[in-house]
Structures are given as C-alpha cells and as structure tokens.
C-alpha cells in the first residue's frame, strides 16, 4: 500500500467517525446523508480535490403569498 493510500484510508476513517458519509465522485448520492465527503471531486481548471465536504445548511420552500407556514 502506498503512503497516499494509507493516508486516504486514515482520512476516510476519521471522516466516518465524524459522521460524514464518504463517497466516490462517480457514485455520488447527495440525498443519502446530511454530510457527504466526496473523493476526487473535479473542480474548474482541471483541478481535483482529494476530498470535498458537502453539507446541507438550509432548505428554501416557495409558497404563494398569504400561505400560512405551519407544521
């Protein structure tokens, strides 16, 4: 196992212990958990992030004016 592979394994374990779900970019499922750690995420300019952390921080729901928001 290469040093990079060992480090990846350690990072993945630590993220999972912190309740992040680690996923591969090719099999990304954003609805599977509130916190997603995506391996090898492609950024603009041909750069790859080793790991990108995504977390839902809110929800916006549009309703017609005058609609009561409850429940």
């Amino acid at each position: 196992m290469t040093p990079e592979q060992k480090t990846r394994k350690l990072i993945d374990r630590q993220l999972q212990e912190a309740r992040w779900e680690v996923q591969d970019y090719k099999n990304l499922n954003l609805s599977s958990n509130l916190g997603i750690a995506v391996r090898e995420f492609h950024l603009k300019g041909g750069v790859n992030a080793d790991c990108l952390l995504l977390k839902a921080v809110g929800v916006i729901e549009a309703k017609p004016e005058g609609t009561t928001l409850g429940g």
Side-chain angles (χ1 to χ4, degrees):
M1 186 178 292
T2 68
E4 186 175 358
Q5 290 170 328
K6 288 179 184 178
T7 302
R8 163 58 49 212
K9 197 170 191 166
L10 172 65
I11 291 169
D12 286 356
R13 189 186 69 217
Q14 290 172 333
L15 286 166
Q16 291 166 344
E17 288 172 358
R19 300 192 184 258
W20 289 86
E21 183 176 326
V22 181
Q23 297 183 12
D24 291 322
Y25 176 77
K26 291 181 179 181
N27 299 315
L28 186 58
N29 178 0
L30 294 175
S31 64
S32 66
N33 195 34
L34 291 178
I36 306 290
V38 186
R39 291 186 196 108
E40 300 299 325
F41 192 88
H42 304 288
L43 301 171
K44 286 185 178 180
V47 177
N48 285 342
D50 288 332
C51 191
L52 180 70
L53 302 180
L54 305 170
K55 189 168 187 175
V57 295
V59 175
I60 297 173
E61 179 66 29
K63 296 290 184 194
E65 188 173 335
T67 302
T68 303
L69 301 177

